[in-house]
Amino acid sequence: MDARPGRSPGCPGAVELHFLPPYSPELNPDELVNADLKHSLPRQHRGRDQAELAAEPRRFFR
């Protein structure tokens, strides 16, 4: 068996793992989306209930 790092020994060529540093926001697409969402939300808006809090992010993703 080939036990090279980054390869699955049971399925040669089927799975390739990519290891990221512990914290790398520039390489994580979720962090980019979160940053865009954070910058698009109104700064002073405070929701009065859970429905209002959920409405702003929903508008962003439409």
Side-chain angles (χ1 to χ4, degrees):
M1 263 199 267
D2 186 10
R4 290 182 293 171
R7 292 276 185 191
S8 175
C11 303
V15 176
E16 186 172 335
L17 303 175
H18 297 274
F19 295 99
L20 297 176
Y23 182 69
S24 57
E26 67 279 355
L27 299 177
N28 187 346
D30 292 341
E31 292 288 342
L32 299 174
V33 170
N34 289 338
D36 286 344
L37 173 62
K38 181 179 171 184
H39 291 293
S40 75
L41 295 176
R43 300 242 183 246
Q44 298 300 321
H45 177 61
R46 301 247 164 100
R48 286 173 273 188
D49 57 13
Q50 189 172 3
E52 275 190 36
L53 289 173
E56 289 297 326
R58 284 193 184 116
R59 281 189 210 113
F60 173 79
F61 286 112
R62 288 184 187 206

